[in-house]
Amino acid sequence: ESEDDSIPKFNEYLDFTDWLVTQPKKELETNVVDPNNSDDFSKSASILSEESQKTSPPFKHKKEHAPTSSTRNNESEEQSSSNSNDMNDQIISTDTSATTRTTKSVLDCDNRIPESVLRYERQMKKARQEGRLGKYVGIEQLKVIYIDEHIVVIDKPSGVLCVPGLNRNPYNITQVVFDAFGCESDRVDKMIVHRLDMDTSGLVMFARTNVALSELHRMFRDFEVKKKYEALLCGNFVTKDNNSIIDLPLQRDHRFPPFMRVATPESEREASQVVKDLQHHGWKKLVKKKPKPSQTQIRVLNKETLDYNYNDDDGDRSSSSLPVTRVALIPLTGRTHQLRVHCAAMGHPIVADQSYGFLGEAAPNGGYEEEIMENCPQNTSSRASLLLQQDIDNVVKATEKKMCLHAKEMLLVHPVTSMKLMFQAPSPF
């Protein structure tokens, strides 16, 4: 892929922490843009000058929604307690010098996972996920890639909610961005353009004016915003063409809602029967939705290893390397969990994916039965074995590794000025 040098690239974090610390509260509250004054919105959305990076954003700065220090301390203590309990169930435990590895395995003699084990692990993971609040990020910790009077782009860390969700969780990056920079409508929900999963890191864009919000919604809906992700996959991913396209339709998984799966004739028949049963028992308005076409372009970037040290059963220190593949993923469609399901269906789930990876809450293999995975010629030669996935999962638990999926690049035309822009954020893994 050739890059156009004429397109401005924004790939460095802006330093606005000095302004946040020293700016008087009175000045922050009075420095508000008048939406009826066209002069206030006449600035260009080109590269920020040094002066504009240090001055106040043109909207209200609000802090009343930010959690207090005592709230953060309590949440930190609860998270620490939760982590210590989770570690008791791990196959690998850690000390200050090395990882201790035992021979315990959830696989049976045929290297398959018994259904009873799957059910138990899913319930355990579900309970742990429901107890997660999402990591708190303060205003001073925001990684801002770009900001002007119409939009702001940040690099979201893994483990942070993008939006409040149904439970109105206060620990979300949208609220932090709103508190830091505000928006024309003075409503936090009027900044949301798109979102990332809580465990996915990378670029997120927010709107600061109504005209930018409306145009960005249209651009994302019409696939005019080009995004590129980077991921680590379990095993050695092999493809004949290094710009292959995964073309697998997706549907809501009726067995494991609200997760997604690859649609097959059998899953379609089962889903139709489930809808009929629910309609018969009072859910009259429930309608079965057709599977949606879904395409992902995948390109291998590098073959790597996940290295770790451990103590064997005899107490001797040893080390091992587990094969992983670094890939670039370009979503050609925008389905829920598309990248994660597609990678799992290819036999190479994303490293540390707690939903679609090893013993995840969703259906294994992206919904494919084990017999299909074993007999598919495309998967037979390169598929990450369950034993390898188990070893990688053990290392992920012991090291508390985050999901290795990162929104690395975004290319679009500015929603107001029509200037071509490219944003980049380095991968944290």
Side-chain angles (χ1 to χ4, degrees), residues 173-306:
I173 202 73
T174 302
Q175 185 67 60
V176 180
V177 172
F178 178 72
D179 291 341
F181 306 114
C183 64
E184 176 185 350
S185 63
D186 201 27
R187 286 178 50 184
V188 63
D189 60 305
K190 292 297 185 179
M191 297 191 77
I192 301 173
V193 175
H194 67 120
R195 64 194 68 188
L196 296 177
D197 295 335
M198 183 172 73
D199 292 326
T200 302
S201 60
L203 295 170
V204 183
M205 177 177 290
F206 299 92
R208 302 186 67 208
T209 59
N210 294 335
V211 62
L213 178 69
S214 177
E215 181 62 10
L216 285 170
H217 280 169
R218 184 199 65 77
M219 293 169 65
F220 273 87
R221 184 174 61 248
D222 295 342
F223 302 105
E224 294 181 9
V225 180
K226 308 302 180 184
K227 295 180 290 183
K228 181 187 292 184
Y229 292 74
E230 190 166 297
L232 278 184
L233 306 185
C234 297
N236 288 318
F237 181 78
V238 178
T239 176
K240 294 181 180 179
D241 183 358
N242 203 25
N243 274 305
S244 299
I245 293 179
I246 304 172
D247 190 353
L248 296 171
L250 300 183
Q251 67 177 162
R252 189 74 63 182
D253 195 336
H254 59 282
R255 292 184 181 179
F256 305 103
F259 298 105
M260 305 296 290
R261 60 157 294 155
V262 174
T264 65
E266 182 180 358
S267 70
E268 275 288 270
R269 289 191 295 269
E270 290 184 3
S272 298
Q273 186 59 50
V274 169
V275 171
K276 290 180 181 179
D277 293 342
L278 289 171
Q279 289 175 340
H280 181 70
H281 287 80
W283 299 82
K284 303 297 184 183
K285 295 183 179 181
L286 191 64
V287 178
K288 178 185 171 297
K289 295 183 179 180
K290 293 182 179 180
K292 294 184 178 181
S294 308
Q295 296 88 31
T296 301
Q297 183 177 342
I298 183 168
R299 180 162 58 92
V300 175
L301 299 177
N302 195 27
K303 298 295 180 68
E304 303 176 13
T305 57
L306 190 62

Side-chain angles (χ1 to χ4, degrees), residues 133 161-174 192 195:
L133 289 175
L161 285 171
C162 213
V163 296
L166 296 176
N167 296 328
R168 293 297 171 191
N169 196 315
Y171 303 115
N172 64 88
I173 202 73
T174 302
I192 301 173
R195 64 194 68 188

Side-chain angles (χ1 to χ4, degrees), residues 15 21 33 40 42 93-94 111 129 139 184 238 281 283 298 300 312 332 352 354 362 369 384 388 413 426:
D15 184 6
V21 172
V33 163
D40 286 341
S42 61
S93 60
T94 57
N111 278 340
Q129 288 291 97
I139 293 176
E184 176 185 350
V238 178
H281 287 80
W283 299 82
I298 183 168
V300 175
D312 58 24
L332 305 181
Q354 298 302 307
E369 299 295 336
L388 173 60
V413 173

Side-chain angles (χ1 to χ4, degrees), residues 106-124:
V106 298
L107 304 181
D108 60 19
C109 58
D110 295 325
N111 278 340
R112 294 195 177 188
I113 306 173
E115 185 62 30
S116 58
V117 174
L118 276 174
R119 286 196 299 268
Y120 175 80
E121 286 290 340
R122 286 194 186 106
Q123 289 301 317
M124 292 297 293

Side-chain angles (χ1 to χ4, degrees), residues 314-330:
D314 297 327
D316 298 326
R317 186 169 181 175
S318 185
S319 62
S320 183
S321 297
L322 304 174
V324 294
T325 305
R326 187 175 296 271
V327 298
L329 299 170
I330 300 177

